[in-house]
Amino acid sequence: MPKNFYPAMIVCLLGAFILFSIWSAFQASTQGTQVTDRDYYSKGLKYNSTQVEKRAALTLGWKLETELIKDQLSILLQDGSGSPVTGATGRLNLYSRPGVDLLTLPLQETSSGKYQTKLPAELKGELTIRVEFERNGARINRQLLINI
């Protein structure tokens, strides 16, 4: 055994590193990426549940029609064929200004597919609203801008 085996050990390590790099490059070029959705990483931990919800809502073809009379907000929820969607759980999130806490109001079904809530009297001006409906795993979210 030679007295100074360090140079041979360094050459072996460099050779192993180069062989592993070549193998890795070959694997990457022949197998491609296993991620098929470009937006996979942007959706975070709820990726699968949000995808299921979006597909369910698209399948149902839900549509929203809103109407604001004074402080009463009415929303008509319909499916793709124009039939009212009943039995959904609705919620309204209000954002009055940046830095102001979120106000959440429940939406009550008053008639078949028609959901309503009364807005607080102190709200004035332009408001950003997020409307959310959920029924049997299908969910729809819409952002609206209203002027009171």
Side-chain angles (χ1 to χ4, degrees):
M1 186 166 195
K3 289 184 179 183
N4 196 359
F5 63 93
Y6 291 113
M9 182 71 89
I10 291 173
V11 169
C12 287
L13 284 174
L14 284 173
F17 175 76
I18 290 170
L19 286 174
F20 179 74
S21 296
I22 292 170
W23 175 80
S24 296
F26 176 75
Q27 291 291 86
S29 67
T30 57
Q31 290 188 0
T33 180
Q34 300 297 319
V35 178
T36 58
D37 185 355
R38 294 177 197 257
D39 296 329
Y40 180 81
Y41 295 107
S42 68
K43 293 185 176 75
L45 296 175
K46 286 188 64 179
Y47 176 76
N48 289 333
S49 63
T50 57
Q51 289 297 79
V52 168
E53 290 167 355
K54 282 182 181 178
R55 287 188 194 119
L58 287 174
T59 303
L60 296 173
W62 287 2
K63 296 178 276 189
L64 297 175
E65 290 182 24
T66 59
E67 182 180 35
L68 179 62
I69 299 174
K70 294 185 182 181
D71 61 349
Q72 189 74 28
L73 182 67
S74 300
I75 300 170
L76 181 61
L77 181 61
Q78 299 174 324
D79 64 10
S81 64
S83 301
V85 176
T86 59
T89 303
R91 184 174 66 209
L92 188 73
N93 297 322
L94 294 166
Y95 307 90
S96 58
R97 296 183 300 277
V100 175
D101 289 345
L102 170 74
L103 176 63
T104 301
L105 300 171
L107 291 165
Q108 303 295 324
E109 187 171 9
T110 56
S111 62
S112 183
K114 188 173 184 178
Y115 299 83
Q116 291 183 339
T117 191
K118 185 173 181 166
L119 300 175
E122 65 271 5
L123 294 176
K124 299 290 181 211
E126 218 172 62
L127 298 172
T128 303
I129 293 178
R130 176 167 295 280
V131 180
E132 300 177 4
F133 285 101
E134 190 269 331
R135 186 184 76 171
N136 298 332
R139 181 182 300 258
I140 186 171
N141 292 316
R142 291 288 185 268
Q143 189 163 334
L144 305 170
L145 184 64
I146 63 170
N147 194 6
I148 299 178

